[in-house]
Amino acid sequence: MNIFQRKPISTLIAESHEEGTHTLKKTLGPYKLIALGLGAIIGAGLFSITGLAAGNYAGPSITISFLIAATGCCFAGFCYAEFASMLPVAGSAYTYSYATLGEFIAWVIGWDLVLEYAVASATVSISWSRYMVKLLEGFQVHLPVELTACPWEGGIVNLPAAFIVVIMSLLLIRGTESSSWVNVIIVILKITVVLAFIILGWKFIRSDNYVPYIPENSGTWGEFGFSGIIRGAAIVFFAFIGFDAVSTAAQETKNPKRNMPVGIMGSLLICVGLYVLFAHVMTGVVNYTAFQGRDGIAPVAIAIDHMGTPLPDGGIQSAFPWLNKAIIMAILAGYSSVILVMLLGQSRVFYSMSRDGLLPDFFSKIHFRFRTPFKSNLLFMLIISVCALFIPATVAGELTSIGTLLAFIIVSIGILVMRKKMPDAPRVFKVPGVPVVPLLGISICLFMMVFLPFDTWIRLILWMMIGHNIYTFYGSKRSKLGAKEKSNLLSWIGLSIALLLTLFVVVHQAQIGWEYMDIKSFFLLAVAVGHLVLYGVRLII
């Protein structure tokens, strides 16, 4: 079989025009699309990952990290906008890759998007939990740490994080129209909170908190200094995936060829300025070292606590004692919309992959009343809530970032291929400056990926190996496009991934010392060797 067979654009266009109770309902206009993007973008970066990135990697220069990340996003955003104007079909980068780079690459990016959206939902839900704990503490209600943190953060399970995932999943099942109106209301609230934080916090900025603006490198790659700025950019990058989530809703959009580019670029550009100003105030009000540790996942609460008059005992008399509770309540609502949009994106990618035969029909079953892929929503409600119970926020955030960066690289490559192979295909929006803009997007995203921690790369390779197994032994045999005969190329790719995993584990272990080899490293090496045997045997027989 030809695993690089492309799905005809005519077929994709026909799918976008389907109507009836078995199809997704078209309810979204340009303003709701922009709100959808803002719902995903505003929140995850400002209210959670910004603190972790500033406290552990970039310091006050986190503002530079945001500018670098935004530059890469803008170049990739142009590519998304062109694809969305050509192929208004659910599935985002998965669909675009299927039309340009072929089925196997589409599977890779689709599987990567699942990692991106699912782990992003878990990351934000963990931060939501931390802010909820902070809010309740303001009312003298103290939840036990055993029930509000994962085992790696001193607890047992994170019940509030799982709770919000369940609630947002159930809301999403009821339909995009009702959930989008909820999102619009929350977005207005979030923008108000962001502007209030910037305006009220500006006069409490202490210039000595910016000294040094770029903290000296700790001696470890990626911890402060120039490498820390780039690692910070790579980590906060996942906060910009809102416009990517917009593209997954193309099949539920009215006049998508015009409205999708507006939604994608509009939501992205609005957020860039807000992000930089917000981070500048946050690291000016309080020294970046305050964001280290478990509370770094709730940096706004820390910053607001420092908005006031210093006391002789070293404490702070808050100038706005009411502000912390009010803003935290708004942040909790804002996080809810982020989780909602991430869950929407994930389910729509699986919906598209299922319709193409690469995943079971289970994922494309539409509810007869709500006209949403409810079974997919229910399954991932279970999976993501379990992840939220047990995984730490730093791991989840880094995984989301590397998945997002990989998706942006593949979409940018897709534009170069599309312009070469299909130059006359109708486009409402065209990326300016091709091939320079896509190449810059690829270069910046790849550059940031290199600066992510080594163990994050190992997790990505492991995830891709799982996905490759599913495609090799299920998706490729049931694809609606092609022949079903065995492909030796898939076995060679499987061997390559297994060798890559082995190499990364060995290099990582050599860096930290073989005397510290633990059960995790043994497990990863066993998985790699097992797959070397599996695909080696498959080649022989």
Side-chain angles (χ1 to χ4, degrees), residues 19 33 39 54 72 75 80 84 90 99 169 196 218 248 270 286 293 310 330 335 350 375 469 493 521 539:
E19 296 182 354
L33 283 173
F75 290 137
Y80 268 92
S169 296
S218 65
T248 68
I270 289 171
V286 59
Y335 271 8
F350 258 44
K375 290 185 177 181
N469 292 341
I493 294 173
S521 298
L539 275 174

Side-chain angles (χ1 to χ4, degrees), residues 69-324:
T71 302
C73 279
C74 284
F75 290 137
F78 280 126
C79 298
Y80 268 92
E82 177 169 329
F83 270 128
S85 72
M86 295 174 62
L87 306 170
V89 183
S92 180
Y94 162 76
T95 301
Y96 310 153
S97 299
Y98 214 156
T100 56
L101 303 174
E103 182 175 282
F104 178 73
I105 302 300
W107 169 267
V108 170
I109 195 63
W111 190 247
D112 174 64
L113 286 172
V114 173
L115 175 71
E116 174 187 329
Y117 291 130
V119 182
S121 301
T123 306
V124 180
S125 70
I126 295 166
S127 186
W128 186 95
S129 172
R130 192 64 199 142
Y131 275 108
M132 176 58 75
V133 169
K134 286 282 188 182
L135 177 65
L136 293 178
E137 286 175 352
F139 292 103
Q140 302 305 311
V141 177
H142 299 277
L143 298 178
V145 67
E146 291 83 4
L147 301 181
T148 58
C150 73
W152 287 271
E153 295 177 338
I156 299 175
V157 293
N158 195 331
L159 288 179
F163 168 79
I164 190 61
V165 171
V166 170
I167 294 300
M168 289 298 103
S169 296
L170 294 177
L171 177 61
L172 196 59
I173 289 172
R174 285 193 56 83
T176 308
E177 184 172 15
S178 59
S179 57
S180 69
W181 275 114
V182 172
N183 181 63
V184 168
I185 295 170
I186 293 175
V187 165
I188 293 172
L189 181 62
K190 283 199 293 189
I191 291 178
T192 302
V193 167
V194 171
L195 293 176
F197 180 86
I198 293 171
I199 294 169
L200 296 176
W202 198 273
K203 68 177 182 177
F204 294 102
I205 291 176
R206 296 172 53 191
S207 58
D208 56 325
N209 284 329
Y210 295 130
V211 181
Y213 193 70
I214 303 177
E216 186 177 352
N217 184 264
S218 65
T220 301
W221 179 260
E223 291 184 8
F224 307 110
F226 174 75
S227 64
I229 292 175
I230 306 302
R231 178 168 288 184
I235 289 172
V236 301
F237 195 87
F238 105 99
F240 287 97
I241 65 178
F243 72 82
D244 178 281
V246 170
S247 66
T248 68
Q251 212 159 327
E252 295 157 272
T253 301
K254 296 178 286 189
N255 192 9
K257 290 188 175 182
R258 176 179 66 87
N259 291 335
M260 289 304 297
V262 173
I264 291 170
M265 296 307 298
S267 60
L268 177 59
L269 293 175
I270 289 171
C271 289
V272 172
L274 291 176
Y275 268 36
V276 173
L277 288 172
F278 196 97
H280 179 73
V281 171
M282 189 189 75
T283 52
V285 169
V286 59
N287 190 273
Y288 70 91
T289 56
F291 303 122
Q292 297 170 354
R294 192 161 72 98
D295 281 346
I297 196 66
V300 177
I302 297 173
I304 293 174
D305 285 341
H306 285 75
M307 291 181 186
T309 306
L311 298 174
D313 62 358
I316 300 288
Q317 182 176 347
S318 176
F320 311 107
W322 52 270
L323 183 62
N324 210 331

Side-chain angles (χ1 to χ4, degrees), residues 191-488:
I191 291 178
T192 302
V193 167
V194 171
L195 293 176
F197 180 86
I198 293 171
I199 294 169
L200 296 176
W202 198 273
K203 68 177 182 177
F204 294 102
I205 291 176
R206 296 172 53 191
S207 58
D208 56 325
N209 284 329
Y210 295 130
V211 181
Y213 193 70
I214 303 177
E216 186 177 352
N217 184 264
S218 65
T220 301
W221 179 260
E223 291 184 8
F224 307 110
F226 174 75
S227 64
I229 292 175
I230 306 302
R231 178 168 288 184
I235 289 172
V236 301
F237 195 87
F238 105 99
F240 287 97
I241 65 178
F243 72 82
D244 178 281
V246 170
S247 66
T248 68
Q251 212 159 327
E252 295 157 272
T253 301
K254 296 178 286 189
N255 192 9
K257 290 188 175 182
R258 176 179 66 87
N259 291 335
M260 289 304 297
V262 173
I264 291 170
M265 296 307 298
S267 60
L268 177 59
L269 293 175
I270 289 171
C271 289
V272 172
L274 291 176
Y275 268 36
V276 173
L277 288 172
F278 196 97
H280 179 73
V281 171
M282 189 189 75
T283 52
V285 169
V286 59
N287 190 273
Y288 70 91
T289 56
F291 303 122
Q292 297 170 354
R294 192 161 72 98
D295 281 346
I297 196 66
V300 177
I302 297 173
I304 293 174
D305 285 341
H306 285 75
M307 291 181 186
T309 306
L311 298 174
D313 62 358
I316 300 288
Q317 182 176 347
S318 176
F320 311 107
W322 52 270
L323 183 62
N324 210 331
K325 294 185 181 69
I327 285 189
I328 288 177
M329 291 176 69
I331 288 172
L332 290 171
Y335 271 8
S336 301
S337 71
V338 176
I339 297 167
L340 182 77
V341 177
M342 295 298 101
L343 292 171
L344 169 71
Q346 182 281 318
S347 62
R348 272 40 176 187
V349 171
F350 258 44
Y351 169 82
S352 295
M353 296 172 77
S354 175
R355 292 196 65 185
D356 292 330
L358 304 183
L359 288 172
D361 293 340
F362 172 91
F363 294 103
S364 55
K365 294 296 183 184
I366 301 296
H367 194 282
F368 72 96
R369 178 183 171 192
F370 301 131
R371 291 172 64 180
T372 57
F374 68 108
K375 290 185 177 181
S376 180
N377 288 134
L378 287 172
L379 176 64
F380 275 88
M381 177 185 75
L382 176 63
I383 294 173
I384 296 170
S385 60
V386 170
C387 290
L389 285 171
F390 297 110
I391 65 174
T394 50
V395 171
E398 290 164 3
L399 267 174
T400 306
S401 290
I402 199 167
T404 305
L405 288 162
L406 179 59
F408 288 0
I409 288 172
I410 294 178
V411 169
S412 299
I413 293 172
I415 284 295
L416 296 174
V417 174
M418 184 72 86
R419 287 293 185 90
K420 181 72 174 179
K421 294 187 175 295
M422 305 174 190
D424 300 322
R427 298 166 170 83
V428 176
F429 175 85
K430 296 182 71 173
V431 177
V434 173
V436 175
V437 168
L439 288 174
L440 285 173
I442 293 167
S443 301
I444 294 174
C445 291
L446 185 59
F447 183 61
M448 284 188 281
M449 285 181 75
V450 171
F451 280 79
L452 281 167
F454 216 78
D455 54 353
T456 302
W457 278 89
I458 293 174
R459 294 185 187 103
L460 176 66
I461 297 168
L462 182 62
W463 177 257
M464 288 303 168
M465 177 173 285
I466 295 170
H468 185 73
N469 292 341
I470 295 173
Y471 179 75
T472 300
F473 298 105
Y474 181 90
S476 64
K477 300 178 185 301
R478 290 168 174 78
S479 169
K480 294 182 179 179
L481 267 192
K484 317 301 180 189
E485 66 269 13
K486 173 184 171 183
S487 171
N488 284 335

